Amino acid sequence: MDRHRLCGALREARVPPGLYELPDCPGPPGLPRAEDRLYLEERSGEWVVGVMERGVRTVLERFPDEDRACRSLYARLTAAGLPPVPPTPEEAATLLHDADGIQRRAREQLAQALRTTHRPPEPESEPEPEPEPEPGQGPSPGGAPGGGTHGGCAPG
């Protein structure tokens, strides 16, 4: 995909043109651009996807080619992104031939990721239960343990 196809794909997906800025993809005449928007541009032989916020451009991702940059921007501007590109017959044959190796490497990468990110769980502190009163030793109705007044009256 190139920026011209991206422009058409974004229009087809009904993404408001004010939300993005693409080279050679003008929005409708008279439409003001949003102050904050995503952009795509070529810089020194690489493609960047970035965000313009309050007039400041910030690069979010860098890509070696226009296709990957366009797909990234499309995915950011739409919920689903583009469907994946099916593998070539050669890639499919390699995948089928090396299925065991692919699974082994995936298991190794998962194990490594679990080892590097595993932290022992922090102990949870539970509130200490209040001791139950012994039979006949509960708080008195006046609120003072072990004595006090009954119903606010002095014994007598």
Side-chain angles (χ1 to χ4, degrees), residues 118-142:
H118 178 71
R119 293 182 211 138
E122 294 181 15
E124 294 183 21
S125 60
E126 295 182 17
E128 301 227 358
E130 293 183 23
E132 293 189 24
E134 294 180 27
Q137 295 294 322
S140 67

Side-chain angles (χ1 to χ4, degrees), residues 19-21 36-41 43 47-53 56-63 69 72-73 76-77:
L19 297 181
Y20 58 89
E21 178 183 323
D36 298 342
R37 62 185 175 270
L38 293 172
Y39 68 89
L40 170 79
E41 69 182 18
R43 289 187 186 173
W47 288 86
V48 298
V49 170
V51 64
M52 168 90 99
E53 294 178 300
V56 177
R57 289 179 176 264
T58 303
V59 173
L60 298 173
E61 294 179 277
R62 297 177 185 278
F63 298 92
S72 172
L73 184 58
R76 286 176 180 273
L77 289 166

Side-chain angles (χ1 to χ4, degrees), residues 52-112:
M52 168 90 99
E53 294 178 300
R54 297 184 182 113
V56 177
R57 289 179 176 264
T58 303
V59 173
L60 298 173
E61 294 179 277
R62 297 177 185 278
F63 298 92
D65 59 68
E66 185 177 8
D67 177 69
R68 290 181 193 174
C70 289
R71 288 179 180 279
S72 172
L73 184 58
Y74 186 89
R76 286 176 180 273
L77 289 166
T78 62
L82 291 175
V85 177
T88 64
E90 296 81 20
E91 291 170 330
T94 301
L95 291 171
L96 291 173
H97 178 72
D98 192 28
D100 291 336
I102 292 170
Q103 289 179 359
R104 185 186 82 260
R105 287 188 296 278
R107 283 191 295 273
E108 290 170 356
Q109 290 172 354
L110 174 60
Q112 176 64 29

